Each structure stands twice: as structure tokens, then as C-alpha cells.
């Protein structure tokens, strides 16, 4: 569905850039924001007043619905700069479609394509200096939508705000990721909102993830809520298992987020003639593969870190080490994906999206 728009995005210029205050060699992910942001409001059935303005605080009533009912969705995407200074997005169409899919599930009105892409283009152009060239550097882009009607009645909001903020990011080194396989808690359930990038999906993961942290693990691999029998995803990343030379990942469903990185890894695997299986995988199959040595790799796939190799997993009080591979699939996919993102390689799939 395409929604017609009849306003152009207004631009309020900054007085002075704050870029000189930022130490680009020591960035903490998601802490420093660029000079500009995008803001657009919804009321009486229409998105209106699309504006790019200096990044700054919002003033909202404490009774604003998003604070009480969590009616909010978001996206995560990146812009990259090549050595000629040209800037690219990576498959932004996927993020546009997905935020509207998430919004629909959360009863938030869909956002118009024209505004989304015009806002991205204009923002990234205005903040072009914040996109640094060089291996692993990027500009993290966070579109989000939230309920802004004032009032605590438990009904969908009649007013919303759609915004885009952006933060420079460096190569995201996750170190050795050790994971716990969920045996008790669940992230999502059949018929629920697991497939949506709904804000509350993250809030609900923090407590079980903290428990995992206390035991020396960084993340949880979620299993199906009914039986905790099938491996699903890591909650900010989709997960791949390499058994011998076959790459296995769970099929997407209403419990599992349809990641752009996951989709891209599957495509690259096909391109590299690597055998892939998109199917349900039981925890017992993983344990057995770890015991008999056929488990070669586990890695997560998501926009923030691209690919994160997993070095160990814990299940029923036993810790299983995942062997280190010299020529790992993880390394290969990360390199191929980043070479496409940063315009160092051919783009046979048409994933790069130039910002003129
Ligand atoms: C965002 C997200 C991912 C990764 O998706 P990408 O499009 O690859 O960044 C995976 N799982 C969940 C739950 C997510 O929210």
C-alpha cells in the first residue's frame, strides 16, 4: 500500500556542528548522535509536519501513552562511506518494509515511503561528515515510531511520532560471545510479537540476559516457548549453526525476526556453493554435534556487529566449547558482506543504495 503525501520535508538548520567534540577513535556504540534528526507527527489519520531539525530533547507529558503501554517500534540500519567519500545504505527497502510490518502488529499507522526515503537521503546528506570511511566504520541509523497521545486509557493512541536519529559507530568487536540456551524464559510465543521490532521485546529480554551475564555469558539463544526444544534466535541477532559443512538456521515465523543480515548470509552462502538448510533445529541435535565433533561453528547475524562468532554455549549446566576454525564461514561472510557494504567489491545482488 502506498500512502500519498502532500508536504515537503522542512529543514531547520543547525547554528554550529558539534562534530569537533566527538572522538571518532573512541566511540561507545549508540552514545553520540549527529547534528540532525527527523521528526514527523500523526493525528486525525494523517502524517504531517515532516521536519529535519537540530538533534535535541523532546518534551512529552508523563501521561504520553508510549510510557505506559509500550506502543513503539524501531529499526536499525547503517550508512557506509567508501574511500572516494561516496555514501551508501545497505538494503534500506528491507528496513522500510519491516518497520511498517512491525507497526501494523502494534496498531501503529504505517509510515509513507516518500517521507521515509526523503528523510533518509536528506539526513544522511546533511550529516555526511559523520559517516567515516575506513574498515568497519559506519553511521548507525535508528528510525522509530511511538504513541504520543496524552492519556492513560488502555487503547491504541490516536497520535504518533515517527523519528530518525543517527549515531556514528566503529567496528563492533564483540569479543568471544558465550551464550546460554534458554530452558525456562521465553522471548516470544506463537501469535505474539516476536517477528516485530517492538520495543518491549527488548525490555523483556534484559532480566534473563542479566542472569546469563552473572554466570559469565553475554547472550541467550532463545528456544520455542512451548517446549524449549528448538533453537530460534539470539534476540538481537539471528543464529546460524555449522554442522560439518552445512549451514543451518531456523525458519522465520511469527516468533522469529526476519533479519536483513540473516537473509544476506543465506544469499552469500548460496553464492559460495555452501549447503544451507533453513529448518527447525533441536537443542539435542546441537548438543550431539558438539559431542561428536561435527559442530564446527555457531554465529549470530545482525546489523550492529554483522557477524558474531559464538565460542561456547551452555545447556543444562554443561558448557560446550565451539571449536575455533581458521577458515570459518563467519569470517568469510563478514568480509564479503562488509566489502559490499563499503563498496570494495562488486554488488551482484544490488544491495548497495547510493546516497547521491
Ligand atoms: C534487529 C533484530 C535482528 C537482526 O536483524 P537485522 O535486520 O539483521 O539487523 C535479529 N533479531 C531480532 C530480535 C532483532 O530485533
Amino acid at each position: 500500500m502506498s500512502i500519498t503525501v502532500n508536504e515537503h520535508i522542512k529543514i531547520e538548520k543547525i547554528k554550529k556542528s558539534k562534530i569537533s567534540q566527538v572522538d571518532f577513535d573512541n566511540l561507545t556504540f549508540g552514545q553520540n548522535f549527529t547534528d540532525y534528526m527527523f521528526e514527523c507527527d500523526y493525528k486525525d489519520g494523517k502524517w504531517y509536519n515532516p521536519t529535519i531539525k537540530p538533534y535535541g530533547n523532546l518534551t512529552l507529558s508523563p501521561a504520553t501513552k508510549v510510557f505506559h503501554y509500550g506502543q513503539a517500534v524501531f529499526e536499525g540500519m547503517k550508512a557506509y562511506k567508501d574511500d572516494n567519500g561516496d555514501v551508501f545504505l545497505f538494503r534500506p527497502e528491507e528496513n522500510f518494509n519491516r518497520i511498517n510490518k512491525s507497526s501494523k502488529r502494534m496498531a501503529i499507522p504505517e509510515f509513507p515511503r516518500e517521507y521515509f526515503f526523503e528523510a533518509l537521503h536528506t539526513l544522511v546528506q546533511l550529516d555526511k561528515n559523520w559517516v567515516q570511511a575506513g574498515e568497519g566504520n559506519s553511521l548507525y541509523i535508528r528510525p522509530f515510531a511511538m504513541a504520543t497521545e496524552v492519556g492513560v486509557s488502555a487503547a491504541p493512541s490516536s497520535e504518533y511520532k515517527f523519528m530518525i536519529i543517527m549515531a556514528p559507530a566503529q567496528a563492533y568487536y564483540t569479543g568471544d560471545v558465550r551464550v546460554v540456551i534458554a530452558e525456562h524464559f521465553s522471548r516470544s510465543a506463537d501469535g505474539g510479537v516476536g517477528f516485530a521490532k517492538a520495543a518491549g521485546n527488548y525490555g523483556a529480554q534484559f532480566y534473563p540476559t542479566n542472569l546469563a551475564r552473572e554466570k559469565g555469558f553475554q547472550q541467550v539463544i532463545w528456544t520455542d516457548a512451548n517446549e524449549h526444544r528448538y533453537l530460534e534466535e539470539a534476540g538481537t541477532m539471528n543464529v546460524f549453526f555449522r554442522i560439518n559443512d552445512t549451514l543451518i538456521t531456523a525458519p522465520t515465523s511469527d516468533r522469529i525476526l526476519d533479519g536483513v543480515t540473516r537473509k544476506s548470509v543465506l544469499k552469500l552462502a548460496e553464492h559460495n556453493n555452501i549447503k544451507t538448510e533453513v529448518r527447525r533445529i533441536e537443542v539435542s541435535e546441537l548438543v550431539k554435534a558438539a559431542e561428536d565433533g561435527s559442530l564446527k561453528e555457531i554465529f549470530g547475524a545482525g546489523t550492529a556487529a554483522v557477524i558474531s562468532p559464538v565460542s561456547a554455549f551452555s545447556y543444562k549446566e554443561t558448557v560446550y566449547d565451539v571449536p575455533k576454525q581458521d577458515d570459518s564461514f563467519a569470517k568469510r561472510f563478514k568480509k564479503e558482506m562488509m566489502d559490499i557494504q563499503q563498496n570494495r567489491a562488486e554488488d551482484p545482488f544490488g544491495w548497495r543504495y547510493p546516497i547521491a
Side-chain angles (χ1 to χ4, degrees):
M1 185 185 64
S2 95
I3 307 157
T4 49
V5 296
N6 41 27
E7 278 179 274
H8 270 296
I9 296 178
K10 283 181 291 295
I11 301 175
E12 296 169 13
K13 284 285 170 77
I14 51 163
K15 294 212 170 61
K16 189 174 178 300
S17 175
K18 46 184 195 198
I19 196 166
S20 63
Q21 299 162 23
V22 176
D23 179 0
F24 280 89
D25 295 326
N26 291 293
L27 293 168
T28 308
F29 181 74
Q31 287 286 336
N32 296 281
F33 293 92
T34 62
D35 288 326
Y36 288 98
M37 65 180 188
F38 171 73
E39 189 174 340
C40 185
D41 291 305
Y42 179 94
K43 197 178 174 173
D44 298 331
K46 273 201 288 294
W47 289 102
Y48 68 99
N49 203 18
T51 308
I52 285 174
K53 55 170 78 169
Y55 181 93
N57 293 343
L58 300 174
T59 301
L60 293 169
S61 157
T64 303
K65 285 202 175 187
V66 65
F67 300 140
H68 303 273
Y69 304 118
Q71 201 189 356
V73 297
F74 68 96
E75 265 307 320
M77 53 202 293
K78 282 179 172 177
Y80 305 87
K81 188 178 268 178
D82 70 10
D83 292 334
N84 296 323
D86 292 324
V87 177
F88 302 88
L89 301 177
F90 184 72
R91 311 186 74 179
E93 195 71 28
E94 299 284 337
N95 302 94
F96 171 73
N97 291 332
R98 191 168 65 190
I99 199 167
N100 277 343
K101 212 168 125 189
S102 300
S103 286
K104 186 168 181 197
R105 178 63 181 82
M106 297 303 290
I108 296 172
E110 290 178 35
F111 195 66
R113 165 186 301 276
E114 288 88 336
Y115 284 168
F116 185 82
F117 283 96
E118 195 186 330
L120 276 181
H121 268 266
T122 315
L123 268 180
V124 173
Q125 270 163 357
L126 285 167
D127 280 330
K128 203 169 177 181
N129 292 340
W130 293 79
V131 199
Q132 302 276 302
E135 180 66 23
N137 294 330
S138 65
L139 184 65
Y140 183 78
I141 304 175
R142 166 56 61 89
F144 60 107
M146 61 177 161
T148 49
E149 184 185 335
V150 175
V152 296
S153 71
S157 178
S158 62
E159 296 175 27
Y160 297 88
K161 233 181 229 314
F162 190 102
M163 301 189 68
I164 304 176
I165 55 175
M166 310 197 292
Q170 280 174 299
Y172 195 91
Y173 178 65
T174 49
D176 268 5
V177 181
R178 292 159 52 85
V179 302
V180 170
I181 297 190
E183 292 167 54
H184 172 67
F185 293 102
S186 300
R187 187 189 88 89
S188 63
D190 292 338
V193 299
F195 71 89
K197 269 184 123 69
N201 283 346
Y202 281 70
Q205 291 185 83
F206 293 155
Y207 174 67
T209 305
N210 277 348
L211 296 181
R213 286 229 169 96
E214 282 166 16
K215 295 188 168 169
F217 297 85
Q218 289 78 42
Q219 299 220 13
V220 177
I221 293 187
W222 300 101
T223 49
D224 68 290
N226 298 330
E227 299 180 88
H228 298 294
R229 183 168 156 197
Y230 297 99
L231 295 155
E232 302 215 311
E233 64 158 313
T236 61
M237 298 186 293
N238 296 104
V239 192
F240 286 83
F241 305 93
R242 172 180 171 189
I243 296 183
N244 291 318
D245 281 328
T246 303
L247 195 59
I248 308 168
T249 195
T252 54
S253 66
D254 56 5
R255 299 184 310 273
I256 300 183
L257 189 118
D258 186 3
V260 180
T261 318
R262 171 186 178 279
K263 230 181 257 189
S264 306
V265 166
L266 286 171
K267 199 81 197 164
L268 287 175
E270 187 193 304
H271 199 66
N272 280 290
N273 288 319
I274 291 169
K275 187 167 175 242
T276 57
E277 290 178 3
V278 177
R279 61 164 170 91
R280 300 216 288 182
I281 170 166
E282 287 197 29
V283 184
S284 62
E285 183 181 348
L286 179 68
V287 168
K288 190 170 152 286
E291 284 170 348
D292 71 18
S294 58
L295 176 68
K296 304 295 184 204
E297 290 179 57
I298 303 177
F299 59 87
T303 295
V306 190
I307 304 286
S308 302
V310 170
S311 63
F313 70 91
S314 119
Y315 183 64
K316 290 202 193 300
E317 308 298 317
T318 305
V319 177
Y320 301 84
D321 285 318
V322 181
K324 268 212 165 32
Q325 301 293 328
D326 286 332
D327 180 24
S328 68
F329 285 178
K331 242 187 254 165
R332 199 191 308 182
F333 292 136
K334 182 158 189 170
K335 178 172 190 312
E336 289 188 5
M337 193 103 72
M338 288 176 68
D339 282 349
I340 293 176
Q341 289 168 332
Q342 307 211 298
N343 195 23
R344 285 189 300 255
E346 289 296 303
D347 177 19
F349 315 108
W351 288 342
R352 272 194 305 264
Y353 177 100
I355 294 283

